[in-house]
Amino acid sequence: MENKLLDVTNLTVEFGGLTALSGLDFQLREGELLGLIGPNGSGKTTCFNAITGIYKPSKGSVVLLTKDITGLNSQKIYKSGITRTFQRLRLAVGLSVFDNLVIGDTVDLNTSVLFNLLKRKALRKQVDYQLNKVKNILKIFNPDLVNAIYEPISKLTMIDRRRVEVCRALISRPRVLLLDEPSAGMTSEETREFMDDLLEIKKKTPSLGIILIEHEMSVIQRVTDRCVVLNYGKKIAEGTYKAISCSRDVRVAYLGED
Amino acid sequence: MMHSNLKISTILTAVLTMGAMAVFFISFLLAETEISLLITVALGIGFFIFAKNQSYFENMIIFSNQRPVFFHGLIIIIISLILSICKHEHFALFMIASVTLYATACFGLTLQLGYAGLTNFAGAAFLGIGGYTVAILANNNVPIILSVLFGGITASLIGSLLILPILRTRGHYAALVTIAFSLLFKTFLELNEFLGGPQGIKIPPMNLFGWSFSEPVLGGSFYISYVILSLIVMGVVLGITRLVEKSWLGLHFDSVRIDEVASSCFGINIAFWKITAFTIGNFFIGISGGIYANMLGHIAPTNFTFGDSLILISIVILGGIGNPIGVLPAAFLILVLPEKLQFIQEYRLLLFSILVILVLIYRPDGLLNRPLRKFYKEWGPPFIGK
C-alpha cells in the first residue's frame, strides 16, 4: 500500500453560526490524484482554504506526513510542502510570466536586503538558475510559453494563465498540490489537453499527491484515482469514481436524481 | 551585438532631446517676465509634441540602456552647465535643491506606495523627523554626515512603530492611520518646548569635512553646495531604488501589493515585507528631510504640514506610481510651477490644479507609467507595458 501523505481528520470550519465544513475525514496517499467534488457551496474550496491556512479550522487536524500543520499560517504551510491554485485566477497581473513563476519558489530565493543590493553577481546567478527552472517547468505544459517568459501575464490566453498558475504551484516541488477547479473558463478541448499534462506530471513525480476540485464528471472519471464527495459541508461518499457514481446519496445530492 | 543596433541618428536625437530638456528647464527656471515664461512653455510643449511624434524619448531610453556611461556622463555635464549658468541665482538654485530633495523623498514613497502598496500620507512628518533630528544633533556639534544619517534612522524607527497599527488595517484604513500621524506630528511639534514650539528651531550651517556650506562657491551662491550634495544623495537613493526593483526584494514587494492572499500561500510574509518597504522608504525620506532642514537653516512645524504630505504623494501619483524616473518631472512641475505662476496671484493654485487634473486625464497612469518589471535590460524592449 502507498504511503499516507496527508491525513485530514474531523476538519471543521465555522463562520459564526454557519458550519461551512463539518467533520471532514480523508487521506491522500503518495502518487494519488484525489477528486474533491460536490455541488456549489458544499465546502470544497473551504476545505482547501482550511488546509492552506487561509481559514483557521475550528476543530480537527491536518497532518502532512508526520507533521501536524493544523492552524499554521499560510507561509508555514507552503514551506512544509503544500501549494495550490485558486478557483478565480490569482496570478500577479502586471508582472511577467517569469516573475509569477518565481513567486511560487520564494523558499529558494535569498531575500536578505544586503545580498540583493550588494551581491549583484550572485543575484544574477540565482536569477539565471530560476530562469532555467522556469523554462523547464513551462516546457511540460506548453513549450510556446518558454518564449513568453518576459511577457506580461495579461498577454496570455486563459488556458496559458491556468498553466502558469499550476507551474507556479509546482515549481517549488511540493508534496501536495491542491488544484481548485483548474478547468474553469476552458473549453473541453483545452481541459483535455490540460488534464493530459497533469497526468504527465503525476507520472513524472510519483511522490506527489494531488487533490483536484472539478465539476466535469467525465474529467473526474478519466483522471482521478479516488473521489471524496461533499454536500452541505459533510462528506457523503468516498471511493473510486465507479463506486461513488453508484452511491444513492451522491446521485441525490449531486447528479440531481431522486 | 546589441551595440551594433545603435544608430547614429538615435544617439543624435537622444542627445538633442536631452539638450532641449535642459534648455527648457533652465529657461523655465530663470524666466522672470510673464511673456518669457509663456514663450518658454509654448516652445516646450511644441518640442514635446514634436519629440514624442518622432519617438525621440524612446531613442533616449535606448541610448541610456545601451551606452549607460556616455548617458550618465552627459547628464553630469548638463547639470554642471546648468549650475554654472545660474550660479548667482539664489532662488533658482534653492528651487533645484528643493526639487532634488523632494524627489529623493518621493523615491522612498515610490518604494512604499509604488512597490509595496503602502499609502503613506505622512511623508512630510517623516521629512520633519529627519529635519528635527538633524536640528537637535547639529546644535549639539554632532558631525553633519552623522546627524543626517541619524535623521534617516530616526524616521525609520518611528515609522516602524507607526507600521504596527497599519498592519492591523487594510487599504483606506491604513492610509487613515498615516493621516492621523501626520496631523498629530505637527501638533506635537507645536506643543513641544524642547523643539522650539511653533517658532521652530535654528540649525547651524553645514560643514562637511571642512567644506563649509555657508560660503559662496566659485564666486556664486552658497546654495550650489546644497544642490551638489542633494544631487549626489538623490543619485545614490535613485540607484538603490532601482536595485531594489530589479531584485528579489522588488518581486516580493510587488507580489505583496498585488495579492496578499496568493503571496502568503507562496511563503511570502506580508508583514515583514511591508515593514521592510516602510522602513527603507522612511529612511530615504528622513535623510532628505535632514538635508532640507539644513538648507533652510531654520525649521518650524509649518514646514511639515499635512499639506506637504499631500504634495509628496501627488508628486508620486503625477510622476507615475512605481516609476522613480517619473518622480523627477513631476517634482519639478509641482514645486516650481506654483512659484512661477505668482503673477496671476490667487488664481495660481486654481490653474495649477487644473493642470494636474489635465495631466491625469490624458495620462491616467502619470507622466511616465511604470514599465514591466524585469531584472535585466536585455530581457526585452524598455517600453513594454503591462
Side-chain angles (χ1 to χ4, degrees), chain A residues 90 99 106 120 126 154, chain B residues 246 248 259 266 373 386:
Chain A
R90 293 197 93 130
D99 283 358
T106 54
R120 297 300 283 190
Q126 272 195 15
S154 53
Chain B
K246 293 164 197 290
W248 301 136
D259 192 336
F266 289 100
R373 217 186 78 79
K386 295 163 236 169

Side-chain angles (χ1 to χ4, degrees), chain A residues 128-185:
Chain A
D128 287 339
Y129 173 72
Q130 288 295 336
L131 212 51
N132 225 358
K133 228 170 155 177
V134 163
K135 283 178 185 162
N136 285 335
I137 196 150
L138 283 174
K139 253 182 232 159
I140 302 172
F141 283 85
N142 180 0
D144 291 342
L145 275 173
V146 175
N147 302 319
I149 48 178
Y150 304 136
E151 300 280 324
I153 278 293
S154 53
K155 290 216 172 136
L156 301 187
T157 58
M158 193 57 167
I159 179 171
D160 278 342
R161 290 187 202 191
R162 286 283 179 197
R163 284 167 172 151
V164 169
E165 208 189 18
V166 175
C167 290
R168 177 175 74 175
L170 280 169
I171 194 168
S172 58
R173 301 187 164 276
R175 297 307 308 272
V176 176
L177 172 66
L178 308 177
L179 297 173
D180 196 346
E181 230 183 289
S183 67

Side-chain angles (χ1 to χ4, degrees), chain B residues 258-304:
Chain B
I258 294 170
D259 192 336
E260 290 190 14
V261 172
S263 300
S264 54
C265 281
F266 289 100
I268 297 176
N269 184 338
I270 307 293
F272 173 82
W273 288 103
K274 282 188 174 174
I275 294 172
T276 307
F278 208 59
T279 308
I280 302 177
N282 287 333
F283 180 76
F284 293 163
I285 302 175
I287 53 173
S288 42
I291 301 171
Y292 187 61
N294 220 297
M295 180 174 77
L296 292 177
H298 179 271
I299 49 171
T302 46
N303 292 115
F304 310 108

Side-chain angles (χ1 to χ4, degrees), chain B residues 227-365:
Chain B
V227 173
I228 293 171
L229 178 72
S230 34
L231 281 170
I232 292 171
V233 171
M234 184 187 82
V236 172
V237 170
L238 176 61
I240 295 174
T241 310
R242 304 200 64 155
L243 284 184
V244 165
E245 195 201 356
K246 293 164 197 290
S247 72
W248 301 136
L249 306 176
L251 179 68
H252 281 72
F253 289 146
D254 280 334
S255 181
V256 166
R257 183 191 74 245
I258 294 170
D259 192 336
E260 290 190 14
V261 172
S263 300
S264 54
C265 281
F266 289 100
I268 297 176
N269 184 338
I270 307 293
F272 173 82
W273 288 103
K274 282 188 174 174
I275 294 172
T276 307
F278 208 59
T279 308
I280 302 177
N282 287 333
F283 180 76
F284 293 163
I285 302 175
I287 53 173
S288 42
I291 301 171
Y292 187 61
N294 220 297
M295 180 174 77
L296 292 177
H298 179 271
I299 49 171
T302 46
N303 292 115
F304 310 108
T305 59
F306 179 57
D308 297 297
S309 297
L310 288 181
I311 287 182
L312 285 167
I313 280 283
S314 41
I315 290 173
V316 173
I317 294 172
L318 189 70
I321 296 174
N323 187 348
I325 300 298
V327 160
L328 299 172
F332 180 72
L333 206 65
I334 286 194
L335 294 175
V336 181
L337 199 60
E339 298 296 334
K340 284 289 155 186
L341 290 176
Q342 272 179 355
F343 63 90
I344 49 169
Q345 285 158 16
E346 58 262 43
Y347 292 106
R348 71 189 175 120
L349 286 178
L350 182 69
L351 189 71
F352 172 71
S353 320
I354 291 173
L355 213 93
V356 171
I357 291 170
L358 279 180
V359 168
L360 289 179
I361 286 175
Y362 289 102
R363 299 203 57 96
D365 292 327

Side-chain angles (χ1 to χ4, degrees), chain B residues 130-302:
Chain B
Y132 272 90
T133 309
V134 165
I136 294 164
L137 294 177
N139 280 319
N140 288 299
N141 300 321
V142 176
I144 188 67
I145 194 155
L146 279 182
S147 46
V148 168
L149 276 178
F150 266 113
I153 292 169
T154 317
S156 292
L157 288 179
I158 296 180
S160 51
L161 289 180
L162 181 66
I163 188 88
L164 297 176
I166 292 177
L167 289 176
R168 301 177 63 91
T169 54
R170 272 181 194 208
H172 305 310
Y173 297 98
L176 275 178
V177 175
T178 61
I179 292 177
F181 177 73
S182 190
L183 298 172
L184 268 174
F185 178 74
K186 186 173 171 254
T187 316
F188 167 77
L189 290 180
E190 280 169 345
L191 294 176
N192 194 310
E193 288 300 319
F194 177 66
L195 296 173
Q199 274 74 45
I201 190 166
K202 257 183 88 75
I203 306 162
M206 196 185 277
N207 192 316
L208 197 65
F209 311 119
W211 171 20
S212 169
F213 277 57
S214 55
E215 306 281 319
V217 180
L218 306 166
S221 162
F222 69 94
Y223 278 120
I224 290 186
S225 300
Y226 285 106
V227 173
I228 293 171
L229 178 72
S230 34
L231 281 170
I232 292 171
V233 171
M234 184 187 82
V236 172
V237 170
L238 176 61
I240 295 174
T241 310
R242 304 200 64 155
L243 284 184
V244 165
E245 195 201 356
K246 293 164 197 290
S247 72
W248 301 136
L249 306 176
L251 179 68
H252 281 72
F253 289 146
D254 280 334
S255 181
V256 166
R257 183 191 74 245
I258 294 170
D259 192 336
E260 290 190 14
V261 172
S263 300
S264 54
C265 281
F266 289 100
I268 297 176
N269 184 338
I270 307 293
F272 173 82
W273 288 103
K274 282 188 174 174
I275 294 172
T276 307
F278 208 59
T279 308
I280 302 177
N282 287 333
F283 180 76
F284 293 163
I285 302 175
I287 53 173
S288 42
I291 301 171
Y292 187 61
N294 220 297
M295 180 174 77
L296 292 177
H298 179 271
I299 49 171
T302 46

